Amino acid sequence: MTITAKASLTPSQTNEIDHVALDEDYVLTAAFVEKVVDASDAGDGLKLRSLLEDLHPADVADLMGFLTAEHRTVVVLWLPPDLLAETLPELDDNIREEVLERVPHLTLAEALQELDSDDAAAVVEDLEDDQRERVLAAMPEIDRAAIENSLRYDEDSAGRLMQREVMAAPSFWNVGDTIDHIRKQGEDLPELFFDIYVVDPSNKPVGGLPVSGLLRAARTIALIDIMEPINAIAVDQDQEEVAYIFEKYHLISAPVVDAAGRLVGQITVDDIVNIIQEENREDILRLAGVSDEDRGSSVSEIVRGRVPWLAINLGTAVLGSIVISWFEVTIAQIVALVILLPIVSAIGGNAGTQALTVTVRALATRELNSSNAARTFRRELAVGLANGLVLAPLIGTAAGLWFRDWRIGAVIGMAMVLNLLVAATVGVLTPLTLSRLKFDPAVSSAVFVTATTDFFGFLIFLGLASIVLL
């Protein structure tokens, strides 16, 4: 049976195949997932293998997310070793940990040999200690040593991210020497490489040459005459720093060097794409006060991640209630104020979140630093004032007509302007302050900003009401 990657087929083509795996948006079809479930329930391993063997590893990983734990247990046992190897790095973390518990250690050892050292290390890292020892013991010494060396580096460092397979050429070679060497290497070459790194006698990279540049040059040209400058990555550099370098300089690959400056590996753009997506996902989740969750997360894990932030929100909400209690007399005499309080809270919170989101993003992308922080702060204040001047007449007129008292309209209009200025202030200064103190600005900024805009919004609105209306 043939599995096709697209559903946009002619009727005659559709009749030639048993089933289409992906729809036109590259999403697994419900019918295909059902076929896999049925084969799993029936214990039909040959059917499962025929369904899965032509799928891309990313699609197999996606499929695992749609299956229950019981079905994954059956499916993973029928994946060919090469497909299993390429699928493991694609799986969500929780699902991968679950799958690894089900795979025999000899099968896993065979599968890991198909991966680059960086991907293999990422998989081995998720193994329990006893399983890790059995898997590594079953691997060839060279592969085992590469994985163990990678695991010695910090989790979020360039050393952990890099692959040790790299193509290097001595500085005294010419183009012809390099091409002949590449052809002789055969299977010993890295599975994927974009650049050849030129190294001196001490194995320190002095330049790089894209494969495309190598193929276009005459055989007699010396490498040092056509090599280009390189952006070497320190082995202990944080992966977020590495992603920034790749993004800023539009790199496809970069050499990794140890403390002595010697070439020890390379990082390629496919790894950086994963890092950028991971960092963005973490920032988005943290802004919402949510821990890292995926399709494999259990209810208890999700609850444990969310409850602490909800408890903090509960505490900050109490602060707003305390402010309101200070003005019981005012509210008792002018009930209209209670109706307008949610407007003050909502607009202030949204404006603060807007300023916060823009600031956190600018910090993450290095667009905001000490050199332009003051200018950014002034700009956000101007935006807050402008928004207030636009919205204040609208809400002021509506409130005045609604309650037939123009003083109420004036009070909420003035409160709107002042609260939007407060929102702009805390939306910018909170992440800047956390960043200066070496804390992640995405972690707790949203809670603090919302609490501050509520506190000062209620205080300003009810305080003005007490002065103007009583």
Side-chain angles (χ1 to χ4, degrees):
M1 177 182 62
T2 301
I3 305 296
T4 182
K6 296 291 286 182
S8 53
L9 304 172
T10 64
S12 60
Q13 289 174 313
T14 304
N15 292 332
E16 294 174 1
I17 62 175
D18 199 2
H19 190 71
V20 177
L22 304 180
D23 64 18
E24 59 188 12
D25 295 320
Y26 294 93
V27 177
L28 288 168
T29 64
F32 179 79
V33 175
E34 186 178 351
K35 267 185 173 295
V36 173
V37 170
D38 290 342
S40 177
D41 288 335
D44 191 344
L46 296 178
K47 178 71 171 179
L48 282 173
R49 177 162 291 187
S50 69
L51 284 168
L52 301 175
E53 62 185 357
D54 292 327
L55 283 181
H56 189 279
D59 293 320
V60 177
D62 196 27
L63 172 67
M64 291 294 192
F66 291 114
L67 301 177
T68 64
E70 293 76 13
H71 291 129
R72 291 185 203 121
T73 301
V74 178
V75 169
V76 72
L77 296 178
W78 287 95
L79 289 175
D82 57 339
L83 181 56
L84 172 63
E86 295 177 15
T87 299
L88 288 173
E90 303 283 347
L91 293 170
D92 293 339
D93 291 343
N94 287 329
I95 295 177
R96 182 166 62 212
E97 291 177 9
E98 175 191 300
V99 166
L100 290 174
E101 294 176 358
R102 309 294 183 181
V103 180
H105 72 279
L106 292 177
T107 302
L108 188 55
E110 180 183 356
L112 291 177
Q113 295 173 48
E114 304 290 334
L115 296 175
D116 290 328
S117 56
D118 56 334
D119 291 330
V123 173
V124 171
E125 179 186 13
D126 288 338
L127 298 175
E128 298 293 338
D129 292 342
D130 56 342
Q131 187 184 15
R132 181 185 305 170
E133 291 178 4
R134 292 197 303 271
V135 169
L136 290 176
M139 297 182 68
E141 183 176 351
I142 294 178
D143 296 320
R144 180 172 68 250
I147 294 175
E148 290 175 339
N149 286 335
S150 294
L151 293 176
R152 291 193 182 101
Y153 297 109
D154 293 337
E155 182 177 355
D156 295 328
S157 67
R160 182 67 70 87
L161 186 63
M162 73 177 182
Q163 63 181 76
R164 304 183 70 83
E165 300 83 8
V166 62
M167 182 62 214
S171 55
F172 57 83
W173 276 8
N174 60 24
V175 170
D177 296 329
T178 308
I179 292 176
D180 292 341
H181 174 75
I182 291 174
R183 288 172 175 168
K184 290 177 183 177
Q185 290 299 303
E187 293 183 358
D188 293 333
L189 285 172
E191 182 177 349
L192 182 67
F193 66 99
F194 305 99
D195 297 291
I196 292 93
Y197 302 115
V198 182
V199 296
D200 64 15
S202 59
N203 201 38
K204 296 179 179 179
V206 295
L209 181 62
V211 174
S212 58
L214 181 76
L215 296 177
R216 281 195 291 262
R219 290 180 59 87
T220 56
I221 297 179
L223 294 181
I224 58 173
D225 292 335
I226 57 174
M227 68 183 185
E228 302 174 356
I230 54 173
N231 297 89
I233 305 294
V235 73
D236 58 353
Q237 203 156 0
D238 186 86
Q239 64 179 21
E240 195 169 348
E241 295 279 343
V242 177
Y244 174 72
I245 293 172
F246 266 73
E247 188 174 9
K248 181 176 182 178
Y249 297 109
H250 309 291
L251 303 180
I252 297 178
S253 67
V256 180
V257 296
D258 62 14
R262 296 183 295 261
L263 180 66
V264 292
Q266 68 170 342
I267 295 175
T268 54
V269 69
D270 58 317
D271 299 313
I272 297 303
V273 170
N274 293 334
I275 295 302
I276 293 174
Q277 290 177 338
E278 179 183 326
E279 296 292 341
N280 288 341
R281 184 183 69 227
E282 288 180 358
D283 286 345
I284 291 172
L285 292 174
R286 287 171 177 173
L287 279 172
V290 180
S291 62
D292 195 4
E293 301 170 5
D294 55 43
R295 291 175 295 185
S297 300
S298 67
V299 172
S300 61
E301 290 172 334
I302 295 173
V303 170
R304 285 197 301 269
R306 295 187 188 184
V307 163
W309 290 104
L310 291 176
I312 294 173
N313 283 334
L314 180 62
T316 58
V318 171
L319 292 177
S321 299
I322 292 173
V323 174
I324 295 174
S325 70
W326 294 344
F327 299 92
E328 288 184 38
V329 175
T330 303
I331 294 172
Q333 296 183 44
I334 309 170
V335 180
L337 299 179
V338 178
I339 300 174
L340 297 175
L341 278 177
I343 298 176
V344 175
S345 173
I347 297 298
N350 285 338
T353 301
Q354 288 176 342
L356 168 66
T357 303
V358 170
T359 304
V360 169
R361 178 192 173 279
L363 286 170
T365 58
R366 316 296 174 86
E367 296 175 4
L368 177 59
N369 52 42
S370 57
S371 65
N372 64 348
R375 184 169 68 252
T376 300
F377 177 57
R378 290 194 298 270
R379 184 191 66 186
E380 288 298 327
L381 278 180
V383 170
L385 178 61
N387 287 337
L389 294 176
V390 170
L391 296 176
L394 298 176
I395 186 60
T397 301
L401 292 173
W402 188 358
F403 299 105
R404 300 179 182 179
D405 189 340
W406 294 109
R407 294 179 304 164
I408 293 179
V411 166
I412 194 170
M414 289 186 291
M416 184 72 68
V417 174
L418 294 174
N419 197 28
L420 287 177
L421 288 174
V422 170
T425 300
V426 297
V428 174
L429 293 186
T430 299
L432 280 175
T433 302
L434 290 173
S435 179
R436 180 65 61 89
L437 296 175
K438 306 301 181 183
F439 293 107
D440 188 342
V443 173
S444 56
S445 296
V447 174
F448 184 81
V449 167
T450 302
T452 304
T453 53
D454 282 352
F455 182 90
F456 283 102
F458 295 153
L459 183 64
I460 292 168
F461 177 54
L462 295 175
L464 287 174
S466 298
I467 294 172
V468 174
L469 301 178
L470 295 183

